[in-house]
Amino acid sequence: MKIRESDRMKLLIIGINIRHIACSASRAGHEVYAVDGYCDLDLESCAEDMALLSRDGMDDPGGADRIDELISEHVERVLPDAVVLGPGLEEARVKGLPVLNNPAEKTARISDKLYQARWLEKNGFPFIRTETSAEDLNFPVMVKPRQGAGGVGCRIAEDSSRLEWEEGLIAQEVVSGRAASVSVIGDGKDARALAANEQLIGESWTGAKGFRYCGNITPLEPLPKNYIANMAERIVARLGLLGSNGVDFLLTEEGPVVVEVNCRFQGSLDTVECATGINVFEAHLNSFRGLLPSRPAIKCTAGRAIIYAPRSLEIKESLLFPWTADVPRPGSRIERDDPILSIMAKGSNRGEVLARLKDRAAMIRELTTCSSRR
């Protein structure tokens, strides 16, 4: 796929939640037309125009055809130079225009956690033993959906009585370690790591439960002895991935273990940009022209945390601050355990950033609790 050289492109960015992608593209100087499921307040400042993504029928049989039709409708309305498919739509098909994503077939294959585990084993990378049957398991096991993201649906089964097995699940060996990720840009043949990140998983101060993903701190401190950026580059290059991709790790006492490969923009985009000064979307776009960035230097420590609703609530007032993102509009209804918004912080080290994130999380909890009771 040839992407024309241009200082400014007209882009249709469409997905369930695309604020991070759209705002990065806007900061890079592109003309952004946004379609997503939330139309958050801060997305409005990044886009020339935005529309609400209708999710009716997406999960029904034939939902893929409905998604393709929906994208075609927005393409005809916007007439963009290229399309960027965001979360939830990366496997959709777009005809007649450049699509700045990995091919749909490859994305579908690599998003399968069973395929990933088998591929990692075959190619000599440290992997987590994965089973597709409830038979002969060595408990405890991590049970998770074969498809999915963000830690949704992941749980530990201590014994067979708690397994609750059903079609579409896999069981993995329980591995203990520090959660980390590497943000990588690939050009289909080679790859370059932008940053290694700490992952925040199930942090109670964010309201997240279980193994729910709730943010990042960039850079990862301290870096492991076996620098995971090199391994992430080899994985992305060998898979032939394009653009922005991520590799998740668990850092164990025996060394890093690969958890999964995400062939899409990651939630760490904000912290990577803040910590390095690089524009992730422009690096993503340039990879489709065969250009990879140099590994950027770290300029500061940056953090993002997703705050989850402790109960169903209504947003009564604006939560738009210089340090908030993914900000819902007043009048929005947030269901229990759903994300309310994201908070950001930066500083000179991890401890400083984490303290600021926790202070701001407490402020958001107070604002939303008081607001919902009025």
Side-chain angles (χ1 to χ4, degrees), residues 15 82 107 196 221 339:
T107 298
E221 298 177 15

Side-chain angles (χ1 to χ4, degrees), residues 29 54 82 141 174 211 219 229 235 241 249 288 313 343 356 367:
S54 172
V141 293
V174 175
F211 296 93
I235 290 169
L241 297 177
F249 292 87
F288 287 82
L313 54 85
I343 55 175
R356 287 177 180 167
L367 285 170

Side-chain angles (χ1 to χ4, degrees), residues 23-43:
C23 289
S24 181
S26 177
R27 287 191 292 269
H30 300 291
E31 184 180 345
V32 173
Y33 290 78
V35 182
D36 89 337
Y38 299 96
C39 291
D40 290 326
L41 285 175
D42 47 331
L43 176 60

